[in-house]
Amino acid sequence: MFAYYLDLAWRSLKRTPILAGLMVLAIALGIGASITMLTVLRNLSGNPLPGRSEVLFHPQVDPRPADLPGAKEEPPDDLTYLDAVNLYQLGIAPRRAVMSSNWLPVRKDAPDSPLAMFSDRATTADFFAMFGVPFVYGSAWSAQDDANHAQVVVLSRAMNQKLFGGENSVGKTLVIATKTFRVAGVVDDWNPQPHFYDLNGGAYGKGEQMYLPFFTWLDLPQDYGYGPMQCWGNDPNAGTHDPKAKQCTWAQFWVQLDTPAQVADYRAALNQYSAQQHQLGRYQRAPDVRLRGLLDWLDAKHVIPVTVRMQTWIAFGVLLICLVNTVGLMVAKFLRKSGEIGVRRALGASRRAVFTQCLVEAGVIGVAGGLLGLPLAWLGLWMVRQQPVSFAASAHFEPSMLGAALALAVLSALAAGVWPALRASSVAPALQVKSL
Amino acid sequence: MRILHQIRPILAALRSHKTAVMLLVLEIALTMAVLGNLVFIVYDTINRSHVSTGIAESQIGWLQNIGVVGQDNPVTGAENLAVLRAVPGVADAAYVSPPLVYAQRNPLFIDPSRKQPVAQVYEFQGSQGLVDTFGLHVIQGREPTLDELPVAATVTSDAVFPVLVTQALAAHLFPDGHALGKLIYDGGGNPMRIVGIVDHLRGEITGRVDDDYAVVTQLLLGAQNVGGGFTIRVHEATQLPQVLQAAAIALQKANPGHVQNAALTMAEARESYFRNALAAGRMLVAIMLILLVVTALGVSGLASFWVQQRRRQIGMRRALGATRRDILHYFQMENLLIVSGGVLLGTLFAYALNLFLMHRFELAHLPAHYLVVGALALWALGQLAVLGPALRAANVPPVVATRSV
């Protein structure tokens, strides 16, 4: 029966090619627009580290004064110097990394070589293993290097290209902020999107150009800022040049916790730490900690750009309008077949059979609309990629969206077809046959 | 008048197509709602990208010259300013970063205890020559003289800084109009006394009223060595890129131990500041085009269907003496009525959608004239879409009436 309905649908559409074409085009345009924006949304909210995100957690504590007008309830995203050091030494997580960023003047270790500013991430040894950063040459520095404030550096592939022409530079030296550093390794292009471990500079965009040991970095001249330093109290500039200021947060901290038991233990340890600091009088507030997993953290930080969220809503508005349009055209189309339907009904077809036949026809329109919508979505994504926005590069067509586009198209067409089909199936046979 | 007489039979005929008419009205209303809001968003963005910051943008460029701590550099800040001013084509130079580049808002207080901030303001702190370099217009009071400027090297934390504020900020802080001579306080710096008022200085252009809240502080730069952002103003706007390059080279030559980083004109700064918003606007324009096409297709599809369905009636009307023009007008009038219904309903929808967007995305209130424009666009679109089917209808020969369909 289904094959027969397909055949009927095909004939019916062929008979009114313009009307059929309009319906297909309307669905295709709606699908194209909404799949484009859905893909952008999906890529932007995607998992930056598939396979690792489940074991990565972001601890937060609340060192703020009790009386802080206009403060949010949520503890600060970043840690103060003291908390960063204390939690780093807490040592109960299998892996942990404390980090921050700024930019530093760098030149080759040769007389009169030109200086240039490079962005850096200062962090501790576990960073690379914990986040799965791939190495091209050499390896990460060791925990011993961290403890010894060793002057070693890990370069990005791009920076290695710029300074050493892309060769294996492990063991070579360069001058960073007047101090000589030895290259320990070169990492491959690695820039997870969203840039989850430090969202302060925007969630999308370029990665850092080099990595330095955190405690070595703190010894460098203090004139290049400390990432996203935020201070409470009334002084907006407090501590800009003093990372150890007690009222300023600027260090990001991540831990790896492999089992639910470890997560529970760590949460308890955070609470205990906060309570202890509260007792010491350093924390004025009662313990208030967070320990979010990576994906929960991204959710909580609303990393999707507002314009993208708005455009996704608008794209669905367009789909809705396309559907209303299709409903109108289908009503016209099915009513035009009233004579034919009257004959079928008179010959014994049930209302249900007529309804199914009309829905099959709607489904065929949906499939055709979906197939035409795919190249339109591809075109739409290409247009997004041409835009000079930070998230443009992540607007790529994904195979999984293929199925989604077809399913969405068929569902929309069926939804649009229900009412016209109901009306068509309630055609009174006698009236129609008489007028033939 | 003839056309008006036609309305009654058109309405009567539409009554027998209630479903299709309702759907068409609904589609036009939805299109109008989305279109009105999108046009508003896009137009607002474009308007915003043309709002002036209040400085002489076409003549202004910015250089970033970063000092390396721990490395000797013999040149002083005052000498660097002199180096920049000596570059041919440079009218003035100051140690400061211009609006849109490094704009940061700080809380402002009018009581020394700094309990309750009264505004968030952009603070422009720089060297002598800042006011002239930006090309600010002092409309009340005066610019502090060189003698009055606090000396950067020896300034103490209790010294009162003479500052300029924007007109908008003065009116906000002191609605009685007596801002001159009053003391204001930022988060933790020195107390500031308002000695003059400038017309406009916008740190950013977001569309908020407090974009134009700014405080300008000048310090006298002497023997200390500073790196950072220098702003220059050139005599001839057309010469800006060349002069800026020359200035960057001169500054680099004078400061061999510094890192010469960015050099950009205000036009470039503005371009990069609005890049995202304008790109989003372009995507919205694409969506608007899709909407218009879909709506036009829907209108013309249904009109074609109706013409087809009514071939016999049209033939009869022709046989009874109606001219082609009558038939053409009939369908055009019918379309006008339907679109008008859609526009009426669409006005409601547009306001509802605007409320939703205001609530979720902090969009401003939709001004009524966007709806008028939307209505005109839809009327025109409807007439355009119906023209083809209506012409086909007008060409139906009277003889059709005698045939059975």
Side-chain angles (χ1 to χ4, degrees):
Chain A
M1 212 56 188
F2 185 68
Y4 174 60
Y5 286 154
L6 274 184
D7 184 47
L8 277 185
W10 178 242
R11 283 159 192 256
S12 154
L13 292 176
K14 254 198 326 202
R15 214 172 312 133
T16 52
I18 296 183
L19 217 51
L22 287 182
M23 285 189 274
V24 169
L25 194 61
I27 297 228
L29 284 172
I31 294 292
S34 38
I35 288 293
T36 301
M37 287 325 294
L38 266 186
T39 308
V40 171
L41 188 70
R42 204 183 114 88
N43 290 353
L44 290 189
S45 57
N47 186 342
L49 283 190
R52 301 206 63 80
S53 58
E54 300 75 22
V55 294
L56 297 176
F57 292 83
H58 180 256
Q60 287 165 262
V61 292
D62 198 346
R64 294 173 298 176
D67 175 35
L68 196 59
K72 288 184 203 138
E73 201 183 306
E74 166 95 6
D77 296 342
D78 299 329
L79 302 180
T80 59
Y81 169 75
L82 212 55
D83 288 328
V85 171
N86 287 343
L87 291 183
Y88 175 72
Q89 280 162 357
L90 196 57
I92 60 166
R95 282 176 177 145
R96 83 285 198 220
V98 57
M99 63 192 85
S100 190
S101 67
N102 65 0
W103 62 343
L104 293 169
V106 178
R107 63 178 177 82
K108 286 193 207 175
D109 191 9
D112 293 335
S113 52
L115 276 162
M117 300 302 289
F118 285 90
S119 65
D120 65 75
R121 177 142 304 264
T123 184
T124 48
D126 284 350
F127 179 91
F128 303 94
M130 190 164 87
F131 292 159
V133 188
F135 274 82
V136 187
Y137 302 120
S139 60
W141 62 81
S142 66
Q144 198 57 46
D145 289 333
D146 275 326
N148 295 343
H149 296 218
Q151 291 180 2
V152 289
V153 58
V154 167
L155 304 180
S156 64
R157 182 195 271 274
M159 186 169 169
N160 189 47
Q161 186 69 40
K162 215 173 273 173
L163 287 180
F164 296 104
E167 59 168 0
N168 185 349
S169 57
V170 173
K172 302 220 161 131
T173 53
L174 40 80
V175 180
I176 302 175
T178 72
K179 301 230 172 117
T180 307
F181 280 69
R182 182 177 52 79
V183 177
V186 177
V187 296
D188 207 348
D189 299 325
W190 182 79
N191 184 23
Q193 305 279 306
H195 195 254
F196 68 94
Y197 51 86
D198 184 0
L199 296 170
N200 294 293
Y204 307 92
K206 291 185 187 137
E208 31 285 297
Q209 293 167 300
M210 59 178 173
Y211 303 84
L212 306 173
F214 184 79
F215 297 102
T216 317
W217 174 77
L218 274 177
D219 298 338
L220 292 176
Q222 301 177 346
D223 207 29
Y224 303 99
Y226 289 90
M229 185 178 273
Q230 294 218 350
C231 303
W232 50 81
N234 289 328
D235 184 356
N237 296 316
T240 307
H241 291 279
D242 179 14
K244 296 181 182 173
K246 63 183 193 309
Q247 76 277 31
C248 298
T249 63
W250 53 273
Q252 297 81 49
F253 188 58
W254 283 85
V255 293
Q256 176 178 333
L257 302 167
D258 296 321
T259 64
Q262 283 180 1
V263 177
D265 285 352
Y266 200 87
R267 197 184 299 277
L270 276 182
N271 271 315
Q272 199 193 342
Y273 170 75
S274 298
Q276 180 204 348
Q277 296 294 320
H278 188 62
Q279 252 164 19
L280 288 175
R282 194 167 87 79
Y283 283 10
Q284 294 183 13
R285 301 183 177 210
D288 183 16
V289 306
R290 300 285 185 283
L291 184 61
R292 293 196 180 91
L294 196 163
L295 295 182
D296 290 342
W297 160 248
L298 291 180
D299 267 356
K301 290 298 289 178
H302 304 293
V303 294
I304 314 272
V306 147
T307 51
V308 171
R309 279 192 289 137
M310 186 160 82
Q311 281 167 20
T312 309
W313 277 101
I314 290 169
F316 276 103
V318 172
L319 182 63
L320 178 71
I321 292 171
C322 291
L323 283 186
V324 172
N325 185 23
T326 313
V327 175
L329 293 175
M330 274 192 201
V331 166
K333 170 137 192 55
F334 291 164
L335 285 186
R336 190 185 228 177
K337 297 200 302 184
S338 293
E340 184 191 317
I341 291 169
V343 171
R344 269 204 78 197
R345 293 272 284 125
L347 290 177
S350 64
R351 287 191 173 189
R352 198 196 172 90
V354 171
F355 180 73
T356 318
Q357 181 198 338
C358 288
L359 269 196
V360 169
E361 196 171 327
V364 168
I365 292 169
V367 171
L371 287 178
L372 186 63
L374 283 177
L376 290 179
W378 185 85
L379 189 73
L381 285 171
W382 179 81
M383 276 164 55
V384 174
R385 276 201 301 281
Q386 304 311 305
Q387 300 302 323
V389 288
S390 59
F391 56 82
S394 56
H396 275 288
F397 197 77
E398 283 180 40
S400 65
M401 286 320 251
L402 240 144
L406 275 181
L408 190 62
V410 172
L411 273 181
S412 328
L414 287 182
V418 167
W419 192 45
L422 268 179
R423 282 183 54 101
S425 64
S426 58
V427 158
L431 217 63
Q432 293 298 330
V433 175
K434 225 187 314 181
S435 73
L436 275 181
Chain B
M1 272 296 104
R2 253 173 79 80
I3 289 182
L4 285 183
H5 279 295
Q6 287 188 349
I7 290 183
R8 193 190 289 266
I10 291 176
L11 287 176
L14 285 181
R15 216 165 290 149
S16 58
H17 294 283
K18 272 194 217 97
T19 320
V21 171
M22 263 164 42
L23 286 170
L24 209 52
V25 166
L26 186 63
E27 183 184 348
I28 287 164
L30 287 171
T31 305
M32 164 121 173
V34 176
L35 206 65
N37 279 289
L38 291 194
V39 170
F40 174 49
I41 294 172
V42 172
Y43 193 70
D44 190 52
T45 307
I46 294 174
N47 265 350
R48 211 151 48 77
S49 73
H50 290 123
V51 171
S52 163
T53 53
I55 68 173
E57 286 191 31
S58 62
Q59 293 165 276
I60 287 178
W62 178 69
L63 299 157
Q64 204 182 16
N65 189 268
I66 299 159
V68 177
V69 181
Q71 194 140 333
D72 288 338
N73 199 57
V75 188
T76 66
E79 282 167 354
N80 269 335
L81 291 181
V83 163
L84 287 173
R85 290 201 183 108
V87 174
V90 171
D92 217 329
Y95 176 72
V96 69
S97 291
L100 302 185
V101 178
Y102 270 143
Q104 209 188 353
R105 294 205 303 163
N106 292 327
L108 193 77
F109 306 84
I110 41 178
D111 65 310
S113 65
R114 295 172 180 160
K115 273 273 183 290
Q116 203 56 49
V118 287
Q120 294 286 326
V121 302
Y122 295 98
E123 283 192 80
F124 291 89
Q125 200 170 69
S127 69
Q128 63 272 32
L130 186 164
V131 173
D132 291 336
T133 306
F134 277 177
L136 297 177
H137 304 124
V138 180
I139 53 169
Q140 228 185 350
R142 59 188 174 78
E143 192 195 335
T145 61
L146 272 184
D147 300 336
E148 289 173 306
L149 292 186
V151 181
T154 58
V155 71
T156 53
S157 64
D158 54 350
V160 177
F161 288 178
V163 298
L164 302 171
V165 298
T166 54
Q167 197 177 7
L169 179 61
H172 173 73
L173 293 179
F174 305 101
D176 57 1
H178 301 297
L180 287 181
K182 295 276 167 53
L183 283 174
I184 51 178
Y185 308 86
D186 63 1
N190 291 51
M192 302 181 283
R193 188 182 302 284
I194 301 173
V195 299
I197 294 174
V198 298
D199 59 351
H200 293 293
L201 177 55
R202 297 185 175 86
E204 278 186 278
I205 303 171
T206 63
R208 290 189 308 254
V209 184
D210 55 6
D211 285 353
D212 204 5
Y213 289 179
V215 177
V216 177
T217 312
Q218 296 179 102
L219 294 173
L220 194 65
L221 208 56
Q224 58 281 87
N225 167 12
V226 291
F230 291 91
T231 299
I232 62 165
R233 184 164 57 83
V234 300
H235 288 296
E236 289 295 325
T238 49
Q239 300 279 304
L240 180 57
Q242 296 89 315
V243 176
L244 189 62
Q245 273 318 310
I249 292 168
L251 203 56
Q252 176 68 63
K253 207 175 265 172
N255 299 269
H258 280 198
V259 188
Q260 183 60 46
N261 209 51
L264 87 171
T265 63
M266 276 311 286
E268 289 163 342
R270 179 171 278 271
E271 197 273 334
S272 107
Y273 181 82
F274 282 107
R275 191 177 288 155
N276 274 1
L278 289 176
R282 276 194 293 275
M283 290 192 234
L284 292 185
V285 169
I287 289 181
M288 284 195 273
L289 288 179
I290 292 180
L291 262 187
L292 287 178
V293 168
V294 167
T295 308
L297 290 183
V299 170
S300 121
L302 270 186
S304 296
F305 171 70
W306 278 331
V307 169
Q308 193 94 39
Q309 211 183 25
R310 296 183 204 156
R311 268 177 79 81
R312 214 166 147 202
Q313 286 95 318
I314 297 168
M316 279 181 199
R317 274 201 69 194
R318 290 297 314 279
L320 290 174
T323 61
R324 291 181 177 208
R325 186 177 289 265
D326 287 334
I327 304 291
L328 185 71
H329 284 168
Y330 177 90
F331 282 98
Q332 287 174 331
M333 197 64 200
E334 185 187 66
N335 179 272
L336 192 72
L337 287 177
I338 294 176
V339 174
S340 303
V343 164
L344 282 183
L345 189 61
T347 308
L348 282 181
F349 283 9
Y351 272 116
L353 181 63
N354 180 236
L355 282 182
F356 171 76
L357 292 175
M358 275 167 69
H359 176 69
R360 268 199 88 119
F361 302 106
E362 295 178 11
L363 198 69
H365 196 61
L366 180 67
H369 56 265
Y370 286 94
L371 293 177
V372 178
V373 174
L376 288 177
L378 283 173
W379 269 314
L381 186 81
Q383 289 301 312
L384 219 67
V386 85
L387 191 60
L391 281 175
R392 234 173 302 138
N395 279 335
V396 170
V399 71
V400 170
T402 63
R403 291 186 202 139
S404 89
V405 214

